[in-house]
Amino acid sequence: MTATELSAYQVRAGVTYLRDVAAAEHMTPLTWSRRDGYRFSAEPGDWIAYERACVRTELTRIARLISATVEPHAARLPDDDWVQLVLGQLTGVKSALGLLVRAG
């Protein structure tokens, strides 16, 4: 933001554009790392490392959603159809993401 004098919204919109449009058009994924920040990389190893990091992040988010929100809801209202559906689906997603994390 400082270097470009753009707002936070404009920077986020630009990165989103790069991720969604430019990367697909040029068939080169936009990745991010602490060391290099955002960049287009030609190295498949960089893509895989970024994908693994994203999967780990999503696994953590889903696990926390289940443990902090959905399970207490299910414990309080065990006959609620909605919570049973959400719990079943998110448990499946959590399992699938866990397999991907372990595969790495």
Side-chain angles (χ1 to χ4, degrees), residues 59-101:
L59 175 59
T60 300
R61 291 179 66 192
I62 294 294
R64 288 181 178 157
L65 175 62
I66 291 170
S67 66
T69 305
V70 179
E71 285 177 345
H73 179 175
R76 188 104 188 243
L77 299 170
D79 295 330
D80 185 349
D81 291 339
W82 167 255
V83 77
Q84 293 306 321
L85 174 64
V86 170
L87 186 59
Q89 293 300 310
L90 289 180
T91 300
V93 169
K94 181 181 170 187
S95 296
L97 292 175
L99 287 172
L100 288 172
V101 167

Side-chain angles (χ1 to χ4, degrees), residues 31-44:
T31 61
W32 182 88
S33 70
R34 286 181 191 240
R35 187 184 64 169
D36 300 319
Y38 283 105
R39 68 188 182 116
F40 288 107
S41 172
E43 292 297 318

Side-chain angles (χ1 to χ4, degrees), residues 3-53:
T4 62
E5 297 183 8
L6 297 174
S7 69
Y9 171 80
Q10 290 170 319
V11 171
R12 271 192 300 275
V15 170
T16 299
Y17 173 82
L18 289 172
R19 185 180 299 127
D20 295 345
V21 178
E25 286 178 0
H26 300 288
M27 298 181 77
T28 303
L30 179 66
T31 61
W32 182 88
S33 70
R34 286 181 191 240
R35 187 184 64 169
D36 300 319
Y38 283 105
R39 68 188 182 116
F40 288 107
S41 172
E43 292 297 318
D46 292 341
W47 308 341
I48 293 168
Y50 180 71
E51 291 162 357
R52 286 180 176 157

